Amino acid sequence: MKRPIRILFTMFSGWVLLFVLAKLIFIACYRTIYAGTGFGDICDIIWHGLKMDLATAGYLSALPGLALAAGTFFRSPRPTVTFLRFYVATISLLVLAIIFTDTALYGYWDFKLDITPLFYVMTDPVAAVASAPLWMVAGGVTALCLSTWGLYLLMTKYTGINGYKPDGKLKTAGVMLLLTALLFIPIRGGFGVATVNLSTAFYSNNMRFNHAAVNPAFSLFYSATHQQAFGKMFRFMEPEQASGIMTQVTGSSSYSDPARPLLSTTRPDIYIIILESFSNSLFPSLGGDPVATGLDSIASSGLMFSNFYSSTFRTDRAIPAILNAFPAQPTTSLSKYPEKTRHIASLARSLGEIHYSTTYYYGGDATFANKQTYLLNSGFTDIVTLKDMDPAIERSKWGVPDGALFDRVIADLTEDTVPRLTIVQTLSSHEPFEVPYCNPAFRDDAACNAFAYTDSCATAFINRLASTPGWDNTLVIAVPDHYGCYPHNPDPTDIILRHRIPLIMTGGALVRRGVTDTPASQVDIIATLLDAMETDRSDYRFSRNILDPEVMPMAFMSTPTYTAVVDSTGLASVYNIETRLFRNGKSYPTTTSDSINAAYIQTIYDTLDNL
């Protein structure tokens, strides 16, 4: 039994060591870029990339583990040994080719290997290497072959493959199957909520360190398995027609009303509170139940947008709508594509260019759903997450409770003269609703109790901000990410109910107050804000100033089953993605609202394809 265990363990360890060595070689090859990188920095790079290395090694070791379990019952060792030798040779060639290619291209492309180079190789192999001199190509191929041969010899020697002999014992097969199954732990990245993804290795504001930590094999396969032919999806009309409709709907010029300005200053401190799963049904003034009474009271003396809609049904799709003014997509999530989030405009980057500090607070694991990568690509210079919180704070499944998160934001406040953009994303009102709070009114309703808790925390936070010297220069925006679970068991066909959320503005810098019932969505926050700040917002194609009376009042939203448009008349258009039919049973737009719906979703996917 010892021999097959040794083979599997040594093979797994061998791949991990190879990936660590590859990082050191990568840094050495780009010693100019990494000049000044100390031993501690290198240790950090290796440590933060280790989980991804372990996951990749787990994937590469799973098939040999199954082969060793099956080989137990063969009379001869030859089939198992032959397979393992072939597997090691093939995988050695593949992994080293990936490492070589990643190292060679990084200096030109400035990002870790993904599917992009394969696109060029597959479409025109000759042109793909046309820029490289013949000696370099030949030298690279030779070095790859020699390295593969050397790795093959080392792996077969030290794993003990050549000395493998089956013992025919059921116990041995069972142990090997168990060990192979245990590889799921490093593959998944442990037992937490977040699985291994590209964000796992992103830990620093220095993107070079993050790139060095990323496992290139994982990056390539992750990219390859997350591709969609965006440019071929949702084709309703000619691009020119779609562009013309979008221009009519969104407009492009900025808007201001000197008689009724939104803000008293063009450079306020901005706090955006992203409320997990809140909806209109929690706010009494919006016809809901008395649950979020604190924020509802704050809204009564601030500015409430009462006909406001979430772009989507999930947080990872809502955040780009709020912070990039990019509408949610029904079939995917922008945050899954680091190569695209690098290029899309973001509020953090726009404000960073006018010398704002940019900080993101989240009490959970930032590697979940690629959040860390997305935030760094979006230009946030400081990201405070679960790992930065006091370990003594009691945690729920998702992270620290919202009260502790808001306390941390207050604790970090300084009297810096630099204006700040601060995003606070809550999580306590997410299932399983584990909160350090008990409201007698919701003793038998865990969800409402959690919503009331987050409401109390956000309200207390805003009140504490109001007592600071900088309050007169402060704008607070509270917006949910999406509808969650209240009311309980809603009508699944009621699209308006499932998307309507509040948008609340308050703060000493807020001049315009009251209630506006203009239909709008999360993507419109940025244009409304940047216009008030007299800052260019031309990069945000989908965003409109909600206060501009000349802009068509409407909101677009999507889920995996439909896209919809709400205007001043209510629900104006629905496109069923599963049946590929509009609400009137046609597969093509026949009304103005249907044309807007079609142009919107087509333009979203064209934009994704071109990012």
Side-chain angles (χ1 to χ4, degrees), residues 317-561:
R317 305 185 188 200
I319 289 178
I322 297 169
L323 300 182
N324 301 88
F326 193 75
Q329 313 88 59
T331 67
T332 189
S333 173
L334 173 67
S335 59
K336 292 182 179 179
Y337 303 94
E339 70 277 11
K340 297 184 183 296
T341 56
R342 280 198 304 268
H343 303 298
I344 194 167
S346 71
L347 180 62
R349 197 177 298 116
S350 292
L351 296 189
E353 290 173 356
I354 56 174
H355 311 297
Y356 267 70
S357 66
T358 55
T359 307
Y360 198 102
Y361 288 87
Y362 176 59
D365 185 349
T367 64
F368 185 75
N370 255 358
K371 185 186 296 291
Q372 183 88 354
T373 306
Y374 162 76
L375 294 176
L376 288 169
N377 281 346
S378 293
F380 285 95
T381 54
D382 294 294
I383 302 170
V384 180
T385 63
L386 179 63
K387 64 181 178 59
D388 304 301
M389 298 294 175
D390 185 346
I393 298 173
E394 186 174 352
R395 300 166 186 211
S396 68
K397 177 181 179 181
W398 288 99
V400 300
D402 292 339
L405 178 68
F406 283 115
D407 286 344
R408 174 60 186 266
V409 181
I410 292 293
D412 288 348
L413 282 180
T414 63
E415 295 184 9
D416 198 340
T417 56
V418 175
R420 60 172 67 93
L421 168 66
T422 303
I423 311 297
V424 187
Q425 182 188 341
T426 70
L427 55 73
S428 291
S429 48
H430 192 293
E431 294 175 302
F433 308 119
E434 300 169 350
V435 296
Y437 177 85
C438 182
N439 188 318
F442 309 118
R443 189 181 305 277
D444 299 322
D445 192 327
C448 278
N449 185 65
F451 284 123
Y453 169 68
T454 295
D455 171 72
S456 69
C457 295
T459 301
F461 170 72
I462 294 171
N463 289 335
R464 291 168 76 179
L465 280 181
S467 66
T468 63
W471 177 247
D472 288 342
N473 195 56
T474 294
L475 172 68
V476 180
I477 300 174
V479 60
D481 50 3
H482 55 78
Y483 162 87
C485 56
Y486 194 82
H488 304 305
N489 304 313
D491 180 356
T493 64
D494 192 335
I495 292 175
I496 287 183
L497 176 66
R498 295 184 68 88
H499 287 271
R500 183 174 276 175
I501 59 174
L503 171 65
I504 300 168
M505 293 187 183
T506 187
L510 183 69
V511 174
R512 190 161 179 162
R513 299 174 185 270
V515 178
T516 177
D517 61 356
T518 302
S521 78
Q522 291 163 328
V523 299
D524 300 321
I525 295 173
I526 286 183
T528 305
L529 177 60
L530 292 185
D531 278 359
M533 297 174 64
E534 300 179 5
T535 300
D536 178 53
R537 48 99 164 179
S538 58
D539 290 336
Y540 302 95
R541 179 176 189 180
F542 296 95
S543 192
R544 308 160 320 128
N545 190 325
I546 307 171
L547 304 175
D548 186 350
E550 299 300 321
V551 170
M552 180 184 296
M554 58 82 65
F556 171 89
M557 58 212 69
S558 71
T559 72
T561 57

